[in-house]
């Protein structure tokens, strides 16, 4: 079954071009022109991923995202924005968006980011069904998944997607949680930019991208506490490491 993309973009030319491109790429597209229609379609059709323009008349993309998150809807959201300042991008992450693309954009980048979001939310394939009349292949017992992981004063429950620093529970977006989980599992190891991009987004956006720096900065704001050591350290020219100095 093709994935369904809910596209909300008030610029008709951009909306039509994206709708055609996504359709040719194999997606089923629900295209709307404003946030009111986007919320109505999201409630009615439950898309696999949302592609929201930030600046729309009436209800904008940020408000659409906030409403859905407040309702408990965790459908991945990719924002389209002409706003390039870090504060504007942080506002999108704070609203619950999972990723963003800055206009003007290359449609291949949009495709790559959508694929990455969908990979992170799709269930793991159980393999092909056995042919009729054939006996199912014997499977080795699978170990039970670990319940908690811990490092540098951070405790995480990957199954429930919950995380704590000490006794304080952290409110994290999907991308923030996955980034923190990657750092916790590799505590004390410097992870380079390419490795993080590949593991979190499934795509390396190149040396000029500030995407990772924005997410690390926002995650630090949620982790850091007064009079407590900083946990995520920058290794200039290389990447990031989680450690408690």
């Amino acid at each position: 079954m093709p994935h369904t993309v809910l596209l909300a973009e008030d610029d008709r030319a951009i909306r039509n071009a994206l709708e055609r491109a996504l359709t040719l790429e194999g997606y089923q597209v629900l295209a709307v022109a404003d946030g009111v229609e986007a919320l109505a379609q999201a409630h009615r059709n439950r898309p696999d991923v949302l592609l929201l323009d930030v600046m729309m008349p009436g209800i904008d993309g940020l408000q659409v995202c906030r409403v859905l998150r407040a309702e408990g809807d965790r459908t991945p959201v990719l924002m389209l924005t002409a706003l390039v300042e870090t504060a504007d991008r942080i506002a999108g992450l704070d609203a619950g968006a999972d990723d963003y693309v800055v206009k003007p954009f290359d449609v291949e980048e949009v495709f790559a980011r959508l694929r990455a979001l969908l990979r992170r939310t799709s269930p793991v394939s159980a393999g092909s069904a056995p042919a009729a009349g054939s006996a199912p292949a014997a499977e080795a017992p699978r170990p039970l998944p670990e319940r908690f992981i811990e490092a540098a004063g951070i405790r995480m429950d990957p199954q429930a997607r919950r995380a704590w620093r000490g006794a304080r529970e952290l409110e994290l977006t999907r991308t923030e949680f996955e980034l923190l989980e990657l750092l916790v599992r590799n505590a004390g190891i410097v992870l380079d930019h390419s490795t993080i991009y590949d593991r979190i987004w499934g795509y390396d956006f190149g040396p000029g991208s500030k995407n990772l720096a924005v997410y690390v900065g926002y995650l630090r704001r949620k982790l850091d506490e007064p009079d407590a050591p900083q946990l995520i350290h920058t290794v200039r020219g290389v990447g990031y490491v989680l450690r408690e100095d």
Side-chain angles (χ1 to χ4, degrees), residues 141-158:
R142 297 181 180 179
L144 292 174
E146 62 185 338
R147 181 65 179 176
F148 293 101
I149 56 174
E150 293 189 59
I154 299 295
R155 182 166 59 96
M156 304 186 74
D157 181 348

Side-chain angles (χ1 to χ4, degrees), residues 25-45:
E25 190 69 7
Y27 293 100
Q28 180 178 339
V29 184
L30 305 171
V32 298
D34 59 51
V36 173
E37 289 185 77
L39 282 173
Q41 285 286 356
H43 292 147
R44 187 180 305 124
N45 293 294

Side-chain angles (χ1 to χ4, degrees), residues 37-242:
E37 289 185 77
L39 282 173
Q41 285 286 356
H43 292 147
R44 187 180 305 124
N45 293 294
R46 301 290 297 177
D48 296 305
V49 63
L50 288 90
L51 186 55
L52 303 177
D53 183 32
V54 170
M55 304 295 290
M56 292 188 290
I59 298 177
D60 64 21
L62 297 181
Q63 291 172 299
V64 171
C65 195
R66 289 191 188 100
V67 169
L68 294 175
R69 296 305 187 235
E71 295 172 346
D73 189 327
R74 307 310 301 169
T75 304
V77 173
L78 176 62
M79 288 288 192
L80 300 173
T81 178
L83 306 173
V84 297
E85 296 298 324
T86 298
D88 297 314
R89 301 182 188 189
I90 286 175
L93 304 179
D94 201 20
D98 296 284
D99 202 356
Y100 59 85
V101 175
V102 177
K103 298 177 180 178
F105 51 79
D106 187 319
V107 71
E108 292 297 332
E109 181 180 358
V110 175
F111 292 161
R113 292 177 185 260
L114 287 175
R115 287 193 299 268
L117 287 176
L118 289 166
R119 277 198 301 271
R120 289 153 52 192
T121 55
S122 297
V124 178
S125 173
S128 302
S134 63
E139 293 186 3
R142 297 181 180 179
L144 292 174
E146 62 185 338
R147 181 65 179 176
F148 293 101
I149 56 174
E150 293 189 59
I154 299 295
R155 182 166 59 96
M156 304 186 74
D157 181 348
Q159 296 179 56
R161 301 191 72 81
R162 299 176 67 186
W164 298 262
R165 179 171 188 179
R168 177 172 61 92
E169 185 164 4
L170 306 169
E171 296 294 329
L172 304 175
T173 66
R174 184 194 308 275
T175 300
E176 291 165 357
F177 186 93
E178 293 179 358
L179 176 56
L180 182 59
E181 182 181 357
L182 178 63
L183 291 168
V184 168
R185 289 186 183 277
N186 295 275
I189 300 172
V190 179
L191 299 176
D192 61 68
H193 298 92
S194 296
T195 296
I196 298 174
Y197 273 124
D198 182 65
R199 295 286 296 277
I200 302 301
W201 285 275
Y203 185 84
D204 187 347
F205 298 108
S209 174
K210 298 186 182 299
N211 202 47
L212 177 56
V214 169
Y215 275 94
V216 168
Y218 201 56
L219 187 55
R220 279 173 172 156
R221 288 177 57 187
K222 295 189 176 182
L223 284 175
D224 290 351
E225 298 175 343
D227 302 320
Q230 187 180 66
L231 299 182
I232 301 177
H233 300 266
T234 302
V235 180
R236 295 192 180 278
V238 183
Y240 299 96
V241 58
L242 180 81

